[in-house]
Amino acid sequence: MSQQLQQVHPNVLAKILKQRTVYQNEEIVVIDKPYGLPVHGGPGIKNCIADVLPILAKMLENMKAEPLHLCHRLDKETTGVMVLARSKEAAEKIRLLFKTRQVEKIYWAIVLGDPDPVEGVVEIPIVEKEVQSHQSHYKMTLAPNYRLCPEDGKVVKIRKNRNAERAVTRYRRLASASACSLLELQPITGVKHQIRVHLAYGLGCPILGDHKYSHWSKLAPQKLPELTLRRLKLEQSKARHLPLHLHAHRLCLPLGQPLDFVCKPPLFFQKTLRKLELDIPKD
């Protein structure tokens, strides 16, 4: 799917986004972001949301429409609710709401394992580090403020890493089966890859299909439990094709009156839930 989106003409991509519009008023347009589509351009990226915003605006309104504006970002592999603004002023207002943490964001993720405890808050700072391996690369990782002293088991404060950013994620288990869980997540802060890092390295429950954060030094496909592979009818050698199961499910925007947007998970996510016998809670 993501390769197809990279190969289509920008006009076709704009049309796809138009079909995925879930709400619009004079200030904003809300879309259901498809899988594998980057928000911003970069090396090797042919198509991205930012590039088609002028075309999308014309399709939604008229030929004189000014380009739509980005207000926040979602990772390339993340699906779901995304807000675009119709004017610079609206964009600035909404960006400020995100920055001052007035926007409530709820994500769904299918993860490996079962978080212990089943609900809680992960509050561990995050920092970007270079991974020293045969192919050196960069990853976000935890930069905790405390550690356990091996000698006496006491909690010791660690000297703060200057580059570490505060990161807080609330989580709650909605279902568990087949050595996996469906979690509801609410990131309170907005650090790059925060949910993925907190789940994988904080709770030891990496997101299904997160090949980047299932290990530290290796650049290798995720290793899946036997039961999960059986239920997915998948061989471990094919695990690298599994997409990231992280979905921006709901977003509440306090623009005058609170606006509440919900996007159902994409089909591949729903199919995985069925195969793993994870029951979707009724909203």
Side-chain angles (χ1 to χ4, degrees), residues 100-115:
T100 51
R101 302 188 187 134
Q102 294 180 66
V103 179
E104 189 182 329
K105 296 167 289 183
I106 302 290
Y107 288 75
W108 278 7
I110 300 175
V111 301
L112 301 185
D114 214 357

Side-chain angles (χ1 to χ4, degrees), residues 129-243:
K129 274 196 180 158
E130 186 174 4
V131 181
Q132 303 293 343
S133 69
H134 64 288
Q135 270 175 293
S136 97
H137 55 288
Y138 285 85
K139 270 187 192 174
M140 306 305 283
T141 189
L142 302 177
N145 291 327
Y146 302 92
R147 67 178 174 87
L148 286 177
C149 186
E151 289 79 48
D152 54 12
K154 281 198 178 130
V155 174
V156 190
K157 198 159 173 46
I158 300 172
R159 197 159 62 98
K160 256 200 164 76
N161 184 318
R162 271 205 323 276
N163 301 319
E165 291 184 74
R166 179 170 174 262
V168 184
T169 310
R170 293 173 67 167
Y171 72 92
R172 175 169 82 97
R173 189 184 71 187
L174 299 175
S176 77
S178 318
C180 291
S181 303
L182 171 66
L183 302 188
E184 178 187 84
L185 303 138
Q186 184 183 1
I188 309 298
T189 51
V191 180
K192 180 182 172 186
H193 295 172
Q194 171 182 321
I195 292 176
R196 296 165 66 179
V197 172
H198 272 173
L199 290 179
Y201 300 154
L203 286 170
C205 294
I207 297 176
L208 182 66
D210 195 346
H211 308 291
K212 182 172 182 134
Y213 290 108
S214 290
H215 326 272
W216 173 245
S217 56
K218 289 192 297 211
L219 281 168
Q222 187 174 48
K223 181 101 177 67
L224 298 178
E226 259 324 297
L227 177 58
T228 310
L229 288 168
R230 257 205 322 277
R231 291 265 161 90
L232 292 174
K233 296 189 169 45
L234 193 67
E235 290 169 35
Q236 179 58 48
S237 59
K238 300 275 189 296
R240 67 177 182 279
H241 300 302
L242 260 184

